[in-house]
Amino acid sequence: MMKNKITIYTDGACSGNPGKGGWGVVLVFSDTGEESFISGYEKLTTNNKMELKAAIEGLKSIKDTKSLIEIYTDSQYVKNGINLWINKWKINGWKTANKKEVANKKLWIELDLLTQHHKISWFWVKGHSGNYYNEIADKLAVEAMNN
């Protein structure tokens, strides 16, 4: 039985690719209307790593198990990776269709493990298109990257 509904907005930012990066997360708790904001940075990273890190940190921040979660990301890489590609990667020993090692494998494994505790629906939102919470997540990521 699902305990509560949580909506998560995630974003990653990178200056240079690789370069310094940041991630930002907005959590909205439907039962209370409470909003929570978290962010972090890395000195040398890539945009895709920061997008993954945002999703991971958002899920890690949820203490209850069996939550009903909607995750909004402006990263097709994250959305398609978790919805379309990850099961084949696991079957193929974490190799792509081209028989190459999956990029960011450790982060994908961590994200995959975190998704097992909840019922999650993933959504893509166009970045920088005026979506209120996505804009906040972007601002958090950029601020973390620059500080």
Side-chain angles (χ1 to χ4, degrees):
M1 181 182 204
M2 297 294 139
K3 293 184 178 181
N4 50 14
K5 182 179 176 201
I6 303 163
T7 304
I8 301 174
Y9 290 81
T10 67
D11 201 8
C14 201
S15 180
N17 201 17
K20 65 180 183 173
W23 54 267
V25 177
V26 178
L27 299 104
V28 181
F29 299 87
S30 295
D31 55 341
T32 65
E34 178 187 350
E35 298 173 353
S36 179
F37 309 97
I38 58 175
S39 62
Y41 75 97
E42 290 187 17
K43 289 181 180 180
L44 185 62
T45 189
T46 65
N47 191 66
N48 282 343
K49 285 181 181 178
M50 292 295 90
E51 296 285 358
L52 281 165
K53 192 73 169 167
I56 288 166
E57 295 301 328
L59 288 171
K60 282 170 65 174
S61 72
I62 298 171
K63 302 305 175 207
D64 291 334
T65 58
K66 298 189 184 345
S67 294
L68 181 61
I69 300 172
E70 291 182 348
I71 298 181
Y72 290 83
T73 176
D74 62 6
S75 170
Q76 291 281 0
Y77 174 69
V78 171
K79 182 187 161 290
N80 289 337
I82 201 69
N83 281 328
L84 302 174
W85 306 329
I86 198 164
N87 289 330
K88 289 223 175 173
W89 290 340
K90 291 192 289 187
I91 290 167
N92 294 333
W94 291 98
K95 303 275 189 219
T96 66
N98 296 334
K99 308 289 184 222
K100 295 182 180 179
E101 188 78 15
V102 169
N104 306 310
K105 176 182 167 184
K106 286 183 181 181
L107 292 172
W108 282 112
I109 290 171
E110 185 176 7
L111 182 59
D112 185 45
L113 289 172
L114 289 166
T115 64
Q116 306 305 311
H117 305 291
H118 308 284
K119 179 165 177 36
I120 302 174
S121 298
W122 294 83
F123 301 94
W124 179 77
V125 60
K126 183 177 169 86
H128 310 286
S129 63
N131 179 290
Y132 179 72
Y133 287 117
N134 178 257
E135 296 291 340
I136 294 173
D138 176 68
K139 183 179 177 187
L140 291 166
V142 171
E143 286 176 354
M145 175 182 68
N146 289 327
N147 290 328

